Amino acid sequence: MDEVVHKLKNKSTEVKNICCIGAGYVGGPTMAVIAKHCPEIEVNVVDINENRINSWNEINLNNLPIFEPGLDLIIDNVRGKNLHFSTDVKAAVMQADLIFIAVNTPTKLKGIGAGQASDLRWIESCAREISEYARGHTIVVEKSTLPVRTAEVIENILNSAETNSKREEISFDVLSNPEFLAEGTAIKDLENPDRVLIGGDNKNAMIELSKIYRAWVPEEKILFTNIWSSELAKLTSNAFLAQRISSINSITAICEVTSADVREVSRAIGKDTRIGSKFLDSGPGLGGSCFKKDILNLVYIAEYFGLSEVANFWESVVKINSWHQQRISEIVVKKLFGSVSNKKLVILGFAFKANTNDTRESAAITICKNLLNEGANLLIYDPKVTASQIENDLKTNQTKSAENYKSSLNEKLGSWEYSKSINNLEIFNNAYAVLVLTEWEEFRKLNWMTISKKMTPPAWVFDSRSIINTEEVKDAGLRLWRIGDGLEN
Ligand code: NAD
Ligand code: UGA
């Protein structure tokens, strides 16, 4: 209770105790890095998901709920010292001088705005919990990606607590501090961010938040802005990044029907310093939990304000992505003589990108579902994604066998199996094709000569990530399709 007393005394008390609500892909790594650089601050990460919290507290660091390079080392150093994971939201909120809200904000599935608007029910429940349990003065920070003007909703809920006569001693400031980390490089991004954006209208609160980041982020990278610009900047940033990928993926289709090579096109345009070379890698279609939902949210906002041209412009980024994933599935079927029914296909990679165990919106889900609908028998391998996650994503009934998992849809549709490893290359036995869907480093080093001998000729390699050594594949007598390659395909 000492902390509470200390908070009650002074509205501009220095931040000594942080709470983060939501122990997910953002909450976990972000708080770990803050705890590392601010040993004098107590950081409590809380979540309603008990399993997740138990995993964060696992002694074996291989069992953390999130795979993120470098995260285990930081957790090992700070967990139990000034970083704590718990399900006790009430205790953590009561003690906190500053609370990050880092809960999920998925696309609404029902009701007004379904399919586009963000579902803010988890944000609302956080605001209600904070209003109930907070003591003294508390800075509340939006870390989740939110529609413009969500801070107003949070403020309304908090203010209703503030005006409650029994609670006259409590007060809040609401800030926006969107997160720009990408999965797979989260620790690198957090340690060395391009910028830290802080939106708000209370300068003192903004300074208090900035002091935390100043422990390791140069001052010139910390930007102050108003709260609505901060919220919109996050959505816009994701929309611009996604737009680049959809743009280059649309060009792959043109490359494939001409004699152009998309890698050469990317290289040439990337040399223009106005365009830049990053985010120009063509692939099987953008995935991840945020790009699609954030663009759809932008579309919803534009439509809400009657800006249909703006809405159509951004919606096309999502539409072309769906079309692109469909296109790749169709190419596989066409190349395998128009049918994949009862044919074994090896799927390499299920995560939406390398170096993460996250599969949300992964192109692999759409492509695998399409191939299952065509009757294919898939053997799926990903170094970090579990069989139960794949089961969840493919929504099939599954029975476990000793070493692997097998599932059948029904007689007309295909089936899938899970492989825990590719070390002995047995998974390639009698396969008609290999599809590379995630750019894991280990797929670059495969011995195609040995693999080729195990497959059913004429066997195909479909490289949607441009990571396979084309010469080795061809020398091994395999047929190769590479994304955006007008010369090979
Ligand atoms: P996530 O689903 O991995 O984690 C969110 C967690 O919040 C879950 O564990 C859930 O149980 C918990 N939660 C929900 N309501 C709660 C409540 N009332 N009390 C306590 N816990 C609660 O989500 P994420 O990927 O970490 O994303 C969180 C937010 O950050 C989203 O708005 C997302 O758009 C944004 N974001 C994500 C990334 C990313 O790379 N994943 C990057 C930048 C921003
Ligand atoms: C993205 C943004 O990069 C982050 O800045 C942002 O914070 C985050 O969304 C978020 O708000 O959630 P993330 O989705 O983790 O991060 O990963 P990205 O590296 O952006 O990749 C997204 C998708 O685009 C992946 O499927 C990836 O394979 C694909 N991609 C990316 C390409 O196909 N080509 C590229 O050149 C880059």
Side-chain angles (χ1 to χ4, degrees), residues 341-386:
S341 181
N342 280 323
K343 287 181 180 166
K344 175 177 167 181
L345 311 181
V346 175
I347 305 292
L348 295 183
F350 203 80
F352 79 96
K353 64 186 279 198
N355 295 319
T356 178
N357 59 345
D358 196 348
T359 62
R360 290 177 289 181
E361 298 292 337
S362 176
I365 300 174
T366 311
I367 293 171
C368 287
K369 278 186 174 173
N370 286 343
L371 295 172
L372 288 170
N373 275 330
E374 294 283 339
N377 300 327
L378 307 180
L379 212 155
I380 305 173
Y381 169 72
D382 187 290
K384 291 293 172 194
V385 178
T386 59

Side-chain angles (χ1 to χ4, degrees), residues 7-8 90 93-94 127-138 157-172:
K7 285 181 61 183
L8 291 176
K90 181 179 174 181
V93 167
M94 276 179 84
R128 290 190 189 282
E129 279 162 347
I130 295 169
S131 76
E132 192 176 344
Y133 304 134
R135 296 286 179 269
H137 183 68
T138 311
I157 295 170
L158 298 178
N159 285 341
S160 67
E162 262 187 89
T163 51
N164 181 331
S165 57
K166 288 181 200 153
R167 312 278 304 276
E168 56 202 11
E169 74 277 14
I170 64 171
S171 59
F172 301 98

Side-chain angles (χ1 to χ4, degrees), residues 194-312:
D194 286 342
R195 78 301 209 184
V196 168
L197 189 57
I198 297 176
D201 51 21
N202 180 330
K203 201 70 185 274
N204 287 337
M206 293 163 82
I207 290 170
E208 284 310 316
L209 176 58
S210 76
K211 277 187 196 162
I212 296 171
Y213 289 107
R214 271 175 24 211
W216 77 100
V217 179
E219 203 164 345
E220 63 275 14
K221 284 190 176 181
I222 301 175
L223 312 182
F224 280 10
T225 180
N226 69 56
I227 205 155
W228 322 124
S229 305
S230 174
E231 289 175 337
L232 186 58
K234 172 62 193 177
L235 292 183
T236 309
S237 176
N238 273 2
F240 268 57
L241 290 168
Q243 173 273 124
R244 272 174 84 92
I245 304 165
S246 275
S247 297
I248 200 68
N249 282 344
S250 75
I251 299 299
T252 62
I254 299 183
C255 290
E256 286 164 27
V257 292
T258 59
S259 296
D261 180 336
V262 74
R263 285 147 293 271
E264 292 301 302
V265 176
S266 289
R267 188 162 70 99
I269 64 170
K271 290 284 178 201
D272 186 324
T273 51
R274 292 168 302 174
I275 296 174
S277 60
K278 290 183 182 161
F279 258 67
L280 286 179
D281 292 332
S282 54
L286 60 90
S289 61
C290 296
F291 277 170
K292 185 173 163 192
K293 91 169 162 61
D294 292 347
I295 292 183
L296 290 176
N297 197 219
L298 202 59
V299 169
Y300 180 72
I301 292 169
E303 269 172 7
Y304 180 83
F305 288 105
L307 304 166
S308 53
E309 284 78 7
V310 178
N312 294 342

